[in-house]
Amino acid sequence: MKNWKFKGMYLKKGWISPAYVSTDDNGKILSIDSHSSEAVDESVEGYAIAPIPNAHSHAFQYVMAGLTENIPKGHQGDNFWSWRERMYAVADQVNPEQMEVIASMLYAEMLRLGYDQVVEFHYLNKDSNGQSYNNPNEMAERLISAAKRVGMKITMTPVYYRTAGFNQGPSEAQRRFQYESTDAYFSQIEDLISKYQDDSEVKIGYGQHSLRAADVEETKEIFAYSSQMPCHIHISEQTQEVEGSLKHLGARPVEWLANEVGMGKNTNLIHSTHITDNEMQSIIRAKANVVICPSTEGNLGDGYFPISDFIEAGGRWCIGSDSHIGINPFEDLRLLDYGQRMSKQKRNIMLNGRPGDSAAISYDTIFDNGHLASGESKNDYFQVGDDLDALIINSHSPLMTRDANDGRLSTIVYALDNSAIYGRIKSGEWLVKKGVHIIHDEITQDFSKTVNDIN
């Protein structure tokens, strides 16, 4: 048993300050209180908040972050589709060993900055010739191994990908992504379920890359696979995608999915940037979840998701880091919020004019719905019986020296930078301390070589 003292801890009911937490030998919480008569084993000069699930990740794309902020000679302009060609060139090079190294570095950085679980939307599953590895789940298991190496919980989500576009066949550029059939895909999903069903750190999801990545019958088959597992799909990210759906399916992407396939509480719609009011209402009626990736959507020029209207109508949403051009969840929340503040020329747009706290509503939403997107649910940020998993904010950071509880969460979400994040506790043990992961040197050395081998 260990007795902890924190400057404060944020629960659903609000801050308790100070906060006394006792844990058993496995790091599970035995008690949480604002008073204690027990001797304190470790006093932490920081505020404990719950880490956030990252509901959308393409780990291999981390290695190219920062390298596409230019227009190559001979090219005119730049958009999502030209960025995609450069991404394909990187995807062509990554082998299983490099995948594990890249993901280890990425996941360690996510942990350092405030995430604790990642939904890995996985489609780089074949070798460089487009052939299956001897173990068809080689790449997926490398990602899982990376997560376990650094202490990240993972929802491994292989997604179906066969066609290059609406009414098209497979593409040579996408050969590493494609499955031969839904049978082959389901076989790999079931193999992962069998291998990891007793592992509390690993969950399995499923889904489809996008509507354009499969034909109509395949899409219906994929979405019918399970109502119990989280199902993920990219949708309505770009206007060109919407136009293609209208031409070939006779309806907009979300409209077609709602009318022809159906959505449910386990459905997670990635981006959903270009949706109509009717499509928004269909998402809300189905209790489906939208996963917004603000830094990637901003970087790719996707457009604004109508977040304030969606909140006003009662929609579910959470966030992901996607291509990992940014991996701080609080910075992504600010970008999401500020984009529409500028568009609407109003403040606190998350509240739609009602009294409340913008940070509290956003933090609560991305925590609850992020866990559902990961395939689990939580009743509180911290509760007896759960592991003590906490992100520690330095109480000596200038703006955190205020004594009042009011405004503390808003300060963390809206006003601090990365230097204010002191560390990360996982299952009652320090995983990140003073801003440094416990195996930082080891994984950084491996990553440095890999990042210079890929161009």
Side-chain angles (χ1 to χ4, degrees), residues 183-202:
D183 285 344
Y185 171 70
F186 291 137
S187 176
Q188 286 185 225
I189 292 290
E190 287 157 12
D191 178 58
L192 288 170
I193 292 171
S194 175
K195 286 181 179 176
Y196 295 100
Q197 60 187 344
D198 297 323
D199 192 329
S200 63
E201 298 284 294
V202 180

Side-chain angles (χ1 to χ4, degrees), residues 282-345:
S282 71
I283 295 170
I284 294 168
R285 283 194 300 272
K287 299 183 180 178
N289 184 42
V290 171
V291 183
I292 310 167
C293 305
S295 56
T296 290
E297 290 156 7
N299 184 263
L300 297 181
D302 289 345
Y304 292 124
F305 178 79
I307 186 63
S308 61
D309 295 339
F310 193 63
I311 291 172
E312 175 77 0
R316 291 178 50 225
W317 61 279
C318 58
I319 61 170
S321 60
D322 197 334
S323 69
H324 317 300
I325 191 71
I327 50 176
N328 182 317
F330 307 121
E331 290 179 357
D332 264 337
L333 279 177
R334 289 173 215 168
L335 182 58
L336 176 64
D337 188 340
Y338 292 169
Q340 292 207 8
R341 289 190 190 199
M342 288 187 283
S343 176
K344 292 178 176 290
Q345 299 180 53

